[in-house]
Amino acid sequence: MPAGQVNHNGVGPAAAMVPTYPPPESETEESWVWAQIKAEAHRDAESEPALASFLYATVLSHPSLARSLAFHLANKLCSSTLLSTLLYDLFLHSFSSSPSLISAVVADLLAVRHRDPACASFSHCLLNYKGFLAVQAHRVSHHLWTQNRRPLALALQSRIADVFAVDIHPAARIGKGILLDHATGVVVGETAVIGNNVSILHHVTLGGTGKAVGDRHPKIGDGVLIGAGATILGNIRIGEGAKIGAGSVVLIDVPPRTTAVGNPARLVGGKDKPARHDDLPSESMDHTSFIQEWSDYII
C-alpha cells in the first residue's frame, strides 16, 4: 500500500485507499484537512441521521476549522459556572491571534490519522478523540499562561483534567504532530518539554522526583515513542527518536535512537553499546521490535 494511505476495517481496495496527508496540489494543509472533515461530516450525517444535528452544529455550520474546534471544545469543557459562550470566545480568540496554534492543530490531526489504525477519519479525531482534544485545549491554556493570565490557565487545566482525564500543567511546552493514544491518565508536569512528532500512550507520567523546585521535569526529544504506563521522572532527557517500553520507570537520560525498558529502565544492548534503530518509533508505532534483543541481553 502506498505511503500515506491506510486501509480500514477490511473495506474493498478501491474504498480502502484513504489519504492521510494532503496531496501536493492542495492549497494548504489546513484547507485540505478542513475540506476532508466537512466531507466526512456530510457523509456521516447522511448515513446516520441520529448524528445529523450534532454534526451540523459542531462542523457543518462553521466556516473554518478554528471555529468548529472552538465550538466543540467550549461545549466539552463548559460547566454551570464556566459558560460555553465564554469558552468559545476564549478559544476562538486564541486560535485567531496565534496562527501557530492552528498549525499545530492540523499537524496533530494528520499525526493521529496517519499513526492510529483505529482512527477512521479526520472528523472522528476532531469530534471523538479525547487525547487530541486535551492537547488542543492545553495549547490554549499554555497560550494564556504565557500571557500571564495564570488563574484562567489553571482553571482551564482543571476542566481538561476533569473532562478528559489528562492532566497537563499549562506551563508545559508541547510541540506539534502529537499523538496521545487513548490518553487516559496522562500526566505532564510544569517544566516538562515535549518535542515534535511524539507519540504517547495512556497512563504515562512525565513527573518530578519529589519536592524539588525549578526545572524538574523530563525533556522529550522529537520522534519519541512512550509506551503505556511508562513513568519518566526528573529533569532528564529522552533523546530524539528514542523508545520507552510500556511500564518502564526511567530515571536517567536515554540516548537518541535507543530503547529503554524495565523498572528501573535499562538500555537494550547495555549502557556501553546500546542497540540503535534507524526508524522513527513515534511514526512506526512499533512497540515490540526490541523484545528479542532485550531477551538476549538479560539472559
Side-chain angles (χ1 to χ4, degrees), residues 207-221:
T209 56
K211 294 184 69 176
V213 296
D215 196 353
R216 61 196 184 278
H217 295 103
K219 311 297 180 283
I220 310 300

Side-chain angles (χ1 to χ4, degrees), residues 226-268:
I226 306 177
T231 299
I232 305 173
L233 300 178
N235 185 15
I236 60 175
R237 182 168 297 277
I238 309 301
E240 177 183 354
K243 185 188 303 186
I244 308 299
S248 299
V249 176
V250 185
L251 304 173
I252 58 173
D253 291 349
V254 176
R257 304 277 176 169
T258 64
T259 301
V261 185
N263 181 6
R266 292 182 286 173
L267 298 176
V268 172

Side-chain angles (χ1 to χ4, degrees), residues 150-175:
R150 297 188 173 184
L152 183 54
L154 291 166
L156 187 54
Q157 175 203 2
S158 177
R159 286 300 298 157
I160 296 166
D162 289 344
V163 173
F164 299 127
V166 175
D167 193 355
I168 308 175
H169 193 283
R173 290 181 285 149
I174 298 181

